[in-house]
């Protein structure tokens, strides 16, 4: 990622929490988590039933997400459909807690979760 690519990224904003904001409110579940690199909103990925990270982009126009999974540092640009292996350092934490399962959260993932994903 180059300096000119960082418009729409605010490294000082911490993540909104340790799980998908909307799934938590609805007592739902997610497959993997993504973090908005502009406002810190944590949403679920497009393999999750509700696809809240993409919905957040569509409602706000915020262009970049970063993986919010332990050990992953990639960014995705919704506007250009480009994947970046890394990017600017963001405010911690950089992922959900390592002991939080994926899919998650614990206790809300249906037993047949793999059959519900596309």
């Amino acid at each position: 990622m180059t300096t000119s690519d960082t418009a729409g990224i605010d490294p000082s904003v911490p993540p909104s929490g340790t799980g998908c904001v909307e799934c938590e409110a609805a007592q739902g579940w997610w497959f993997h988590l993504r973090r908005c690199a502009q406002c810190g909103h944590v949403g679920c990925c497009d393999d999750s039933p509700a696809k809240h990270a993409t919905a957040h982009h569509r409602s706000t126009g915020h262009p970049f997400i970063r993986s919010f999974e332990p050990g992953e540092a990639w960014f995705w640009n919704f506007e250009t459909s480009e994947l970046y292996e890394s990017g600017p350092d963001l405010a911690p934490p950089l992922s959900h807690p390592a002991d939080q399962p994926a899919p998650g959260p614990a206790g809300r993932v249906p037993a047949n979760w793999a059959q519900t994903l596309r």
Side-chain angles (χ1 to χ4, degrees):
M1 191 174 289
T2 65
T3 305
S4 62
D5 292 325
T6 60
I9 296 177
D10 185 344
S12 69
V13 177
S16 59
T18 60
C20 174
V21 173
E22 292 84 2
C23 287
E24 291 284 21
Q27 295 297 298
W29 66 278
W30 54 81
F31 185 52
H32 288 129
L33 297 172
R34 309 295 179 234
R35 171 186 178 172
C36 176
Q38 186 164 344
C39 72
H41 175 273
V42 175
C44 54
C45 72
D46 281 355
D47 289 326
S48 299
K51 303 170 176 48
H52 287 123
T54 295
H56 174 76
H57 160 69
R58 288 185 181 138
S59 69
T60 64
H62 296 168
F64 289 98
I65 56 171
R66 184 187 185 276
S67 176
F68 200 57
E69 294 298 317
E72 296 182 0
W74 58 262
F75 285 74
W76 175 257
N77 183 332
F78 283 107
E79 293 176 352
T80 65
S81 296
E82 289 180 272
L83 178 68
Y84 300 91
E85 290 184 26
S86 63
D89 291 335
L90 300 180
L94 299 179
S95 70
H96 64 76
D99 63 353
Q100 179 178 307
R108 292 204 313 248
V109 180
N112 68 339
W113 68 267
Q115 288 78 34
T116 67
L117 301 179
R118 292 181 41 149

